[in-house]
Structures are given as C-alpha cells and as structure tokens.
C-alpha cells in the first residue's frame, strides 16, 4: 500500500512551494507542486482563505481536500513532491468524486503523478 503524504507545517515550507513550484488551477481547487530531490515521500499542506467562509466552512473544505488526497494517494504512486492544496468556494459545492478527479488531473498536470 502506498505511503500517505506527510504534512507541510511551517509558513516557509508553504512559501517555498508557492514561489518555486508549478501552479495548476481546477474548478474545485488550486494545486501547487514542487518536486523534491532529497525527500523520500510526498508532503502535503492545505489552505483555505477566509473568502471561502467561516471557520466551520473552511474546516469542512479542508477535510474534503484531505480525504481527496488520501484517496488519490491510495490509488496512485505519488512521487517525492511537496503539494499545497488550496480550497475554493466551489470545493464544497462540487460532488466529492469531481473534487477527486480535479485533484488527480491537477497532479498529473503538475507532475506529481505519472502521465
């Protein structure tokens, strides 16, 4: 079974991915991908801005993104990359299967999954 992605935790880690990584926008989310040479496993971070809604809505959106990544990582071999998933207002309005497909497509486009 593939290893689950670890967490990006600090602001400098998020800024490094935002500054140097590739950005892929999809209807349900935005994905930032930065390839890692020294890392063994993927790392992921999640962010949802206040524009999306109050704390309850933002946390629900984050949970949807986390579970979508978990599902994609279970089915596919994620390379040694840093991922930042940015939730959109549309994330919680879309069907979960559409969010998973958006994430899978964005990861292929960003180079986190083999084509």
């Amino acid at each position: 079974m593939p290893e689950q992605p670890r967490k990006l935790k600090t602001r400098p880690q998020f800024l490094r991915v935002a500054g140097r990584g590739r950005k892929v926008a999809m209807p349900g989310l935005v994905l930032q991908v930065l390839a890692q040479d020294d890392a063994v496993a993927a790392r992921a971070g999640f962010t949802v801005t206040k524009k999306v809604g109050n704390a309850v809505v933002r946390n629900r959106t984050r949970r949807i993104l986390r579970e979508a990544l978990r599902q994609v990582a279970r089915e596919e071999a994620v390379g040694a990359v840093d991922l930042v998933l940015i939730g959109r207002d549309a994330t919680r309005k879309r069907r979960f299967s559409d969010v998973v497909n958006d994430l899978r497509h964005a990861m292929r486009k960003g180079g986190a999954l083999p084509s």
Side-chain angles (χ1 to χ4, degrees):
M1 182 170 207
E3 185 177 332
Q4 295 296 321
R6 296 176 318 197
K7 292 182 183 179
L8 290 176
K9 295 180 181 178
T10 64
R11 180 170 168 76
Q13 290 174 330
F14 279 83
L15 293 177
R16 195 165 147 270
V17 175
R20 297 186 199 167
R22 292 186 64 187
K23 183 177 175 181
V24 182
M26 300 299 292
L29 57 99
V30 176
L31 178 69
Q32 296 172 337
V33 181
L34 178 63
Q36 290 298 334
D37 298 329
D38 58 349
V40 180
R43 296 186 304 178
F46 303 89
T47 184
V48 182
T49 66
K50 286 187 176 182
K51 284 191 235 178
V52 173
N54 64 17
V56 173
V57 172
R58 292 194 311 268
N59 286 331
R60 177 158 175 78
T61 303
R62 204 172 291 116
R63 283 194 307 269
I64 290 168
L65 292 175
R66 196 174 298 125
E67 186 56 35
L69 179 61
R70 213 175 275 134
Q71 187 167 334
V72 171
R74 256 195 313 264
E75 297 168 1
E76 313 244 5
V78 180
V81 293
D82 284 349
L83 304 168
V84 174
L85 285 81
I86 303 170
R88 291 182 156 183
D89 193 37
T91 304
R92 64 189 172 91
K93 295 176 182 173
R94 292 174 66 82
R95 289 192 335 239
F96 181 71
S97 60
D98 292 339
V99 174
V100 171
N101 289 334
D102 285 349
L103 178 58
R104 186 176 285 119
H105 183 70
M107 288 175 76
R108 285 198 202 301
K109 203 170 174 183
L113 293 177
S115 297

